[in-house]
Amino acid sequence: MGSRASTLLRDEEIEEIKKETGFSHSQITRLYSRFTSLDKGENGTLSREDFQRIPELAINPLGDRIINAFFPEGEDQVNFRGFMRTLAHFRPIEDNEKSKDQNGPEPLNSRSNKLHFAFRLYDLDKDDKISRDELLQVLRMMVGVNISDEQLGSIADRTIQEADQDGDSAISFAEFVKVLEKVDVEQKMSIRFLH
Amino acid sequence: MEVVCALGHVGAVWVAVVLGLVMLPSALGISLGISEAYMWVLVKTLEWATIRLQKGAKKPQLQMPRTPTANGIIERDETPMEKEIALLHRADFEFSHIFYFCRKGFEAIVEDEVTQRFSSEELLSWNLLTRTNVNFHYISLRLTVVWVIGVVVRYCFLLPLRFSLAAIGITSMIVGTTMVGQLPNGSVKSYLSEVVHLTCSRILVRALSGTIHYHNKENRPQKGGICVANHTSPIDAIILTNDGCYAMVGQVHGGLMGIIQRATVKACPHVWFERSEIKDRHLVTKRLREHVADKSKLPILIFPEGTCINNTSVMMFKKGSFEIGGTIYPVAIKYDPQFGDAFWNSSKYNIVSYLLRIMTSWAIVCNVWYLPPMVRKEDEDAVQFANRVRSAIARQGGLTELPWDGGLKRAKVKDTFKEEQQKNYSKMLLFLGKLSHDMWLDTSALAHGLWHVGCSPQEELAPGSLSTHRCPGQSTSKWLHHV
């Protein structure tokens, strides 16, 4: 029950998560209660099935890719710490964060990290490049059976062609950033968390 | 000897109290004002506790919610996909399209409309029961004292009293209906059956310290009709029977429920289905049609959600009950969560531990609204009619309408919903691709224009318009048909 859940989260842990992710104390406790309610196995970690049980996520064409983003290579459980680290990419950038000193580690919700997160959704084999084939696979997830192979292929070709600067027929992270330079990534890759 | 004697005295007094103060008034349908007095004390105590908690909340170390919305985690972005992506539009596909799906996915992970309806609702203030809110286990000395007194009263006095009442209620229900069942069919039998049902449900409602407010009694379900209500708990049925008899429809259970079902069906035309029969939709519809066709039979009571929801929303109504025909009498039931959580989380608690929780809560307080009868319109199919009835119930009960199937509590979401999303996206992709080839349109004008095509006036005005809910599959599909 709820009372047990909140006693499990120690103050030191909250402090550490706060430092790492930038979430406030009350956001962390509320997200922790969300985490425990998703955790049907009640073992302090979430599995892929726990995520898939959220209907709105299960119907999302990219649901599986999004779920995957929570799990580091080769692992099939994520603890609260890891859960929060991934969520932190979607924290909006606050005014006082923009002017922060440049020496510290880059916050998880920076423009660059948000873009990197999106890039990894396309980069299925994690080789830091989006190949035509990877783009096609992601496109297929998004459109289902509704568009022919031929048509989808030409969409992929055009997209790669437009973004590819060094002529290797694949998109590097730098090229990805360039293509999206005019897009308001800060807003589109943020969720309005309440304080 | 003296101890036995004393015990005997206590027992006798107990029986006298139960008989005199509960059984007789129940049978006669009158109230002695005891429960009213109890409720008055309870309301005052909880008001006092809320004030204490608010005072305590001013201390900085406490995290208390400031506004009703503070129980939420995020504020959702409701921009429709078409608007967001079309505004970015330059060609058919762009890498940025993924942002939309990504954000929607994360919003659902942090907070979603469906799964939270299958767990107990969060309260805005602590109600002096240990089990409620995560945010409320800070306790000041005075509150602790009151809480301890509460525990003693609830477990040492109320629980035994309620337990005896429940036992008496259930026994007399079984015995009474079995006896009435021996009579030949006729008006005497149905009259006596109603008396037994009403008396027993009154006893059972007292066993839950139920305080029920019935509104608009002129709309009470009539014979030969179908009563549909939102579903929070098995006690919904008792709450409704307390004010009039119904023929229940449901699946045959085992154990105690099975014994009650078998006894009551002898006296009253309930419709119980075997597990194998319930799959046979034609048979179910046929038997219900026969029942409705007989105008002398009691109104049928159906909970078309098919599962218990936590008293904050109404989910999809299964269309079966709306295919039968006849008059539908919608009923909205809304419990007051301050006094106890009536929701039965059947995947977490079995019926006995659920009843134990209810019987150790403060009370069951609820409002029942009888809504004006509704009939299916000629141009309406069963699904549309079901949605119209659901909207009426949701509006009256102050509940959120959700298009999702309550069956998601146990089952996975159907693939067709995802396919619907993919279809929407594909349509838009092809449309944008065509536009960028055919003509050079100002992108913002394009988005603006599209948006207007989508919202035809009827859709905006339709009751239960799908525009506010969060199942994008349905909200956007309509829109794209125009494209």
Side-chain angles (χ1 to χ4, degrees), chain A residues 45-56:
Chain A
T45 60
L46 298 185
S47 65
R48 285 187 166 77
E49 287 72 43
D50 286 328
F51 282 100
Q52 277 151 1
R53 227 173 270 119
I54 306 170
E56 281 172 73

Side-chain angles (χ1 to χ4, degrees), chain A residues 74-175:
Chain A
E75 288 190 34
D76 49 11
Q77 297 287 324
V78 59
N79 60 16
F80 184 57
R81 209 54 196 274
F83 178 74
M84 292 300 280
R85 214 176 291 132
T86 310
L87 283 187
H89 290 93
F90 283 79
R91 211 166 56 77
I93 303 172
E94 281 158 30
D95 291 337
N96 56 3
E97 283 174 301
K98 283 174 189 156
S99 54
K100 235 179 187 174
D101 65 305
Q102 304 297 312
N103 305 327
E106 196 176 338
L108 289 166
N109 63 342
S110 69
R111 179 185 169 95
S112 160
N113 272 329
K114 283 177 193 292
L115 277 169
H116 211 207
F117 186 89
F119 182 79
R120 282 190 301 251
L121 292 181
Y122 287 108
D123 182 16
L124 301 171
D125 64 2
K126 300 183 177 153
D127 67 345
D128 290 324
K129 272 190 184 311
I130 305 170
S131 67
R132 177 180 186 271
D133 190 47
E134 284 170 327
L135 179 59
L136 260 182
Q137 285 186 49
V138 175
L139 274 167
R140 188 48 81 196
M141 292 176 205
M142 290 162 83
V143 303
V145 294
N146 302 290
I147 295 183
S148 70
D149 280 341
E150 199 191 4
Q151 228 170 340
L152 212 57
S154 76
I155 291 177
D157 284 336
R158 186 198 49 76
T159 311
I160 298 257
Q161 220 173 56
E162 277 179 19
D164 186 19
Q165 291 173 325
D166 57 10
D168 65 349
S169 300
I171 308 302
S172 67
F173 183 59
E175 288 163 344

Side-chain angles (χ1 to χ4, degrees), chain B residues 262-288:
Chain B
R262 279 195 294 277
T264 51
V265 80
K266 285 179 194 142
C268 185
H270 298 303
V271 188
W272 304 129
F273 291 99
E274 295 291 339
R275 186 175 275 277
S276 55
E277 287 177 320
I278 206 108
K279 294 246 164 59
D280 188 348
R281 292 235 343 243
H282 285 288
L283 182 83
V284 175
T285 318
K286 188 170 152 265
R287 281 184 59 187
L288 294 182

Side-chain angles (χ1 to χ4, degrees), chain B residues 83-155:
Chain B
K83 203 169 179 181
E84 169 160 344
I85 295 184
L87 274 171
L88 291 173
H89 160 83
R90 209 163 45 79
D92 42 15
F93 172 77
E94 282 179 40
F95 283 113
S96 59
H97 289 184
I98 204 176
F99 296 163
Y100 174 80
F101 293 107
C102 224
R103 201 180 59 235
K104 287 287 151 203
F106 271 82
E107 281 180 348
I109 290 169
V110 171
E111 189 172 74
D112 80 296
E113 274 294 321
V114 187
T115 56
Q116 65 179 14
R117 309 294 175 177
F118 300 144
S119 52
S120 296
E121 72 184 292
E122 291 222 349
L123 297 178
L124 291 179
S125 181
W126 188 44
N127 62 357
L128 299 174
L129 297 175
T130 9
R131 47 181 165 256
T132 26
N133 242 322
V134 185
N135 299 325
F136 299 113
H137 36 95
Y138 157 76
I139 294 164
S140 78
L141 180 64
R142 273 207 257 178
L143 272 176
T144 314
V145 172
V146 173
W147 175 76
V148 169
I149 296 173
V151 170
V152 173
V153 170
R154 286 187 290 122
Y155 282 86

Side-chain angles (χ1 to χ4, degrees), chain B residues 43-54:
Chain B
V43 169
K44 291 286 166 208
T45 314
L46 290 177
E47 274 173 10
W48 172 82
T50 309
I51 293 168
R52 296 294 307 173
L53 280 167
Q54 278 163 354

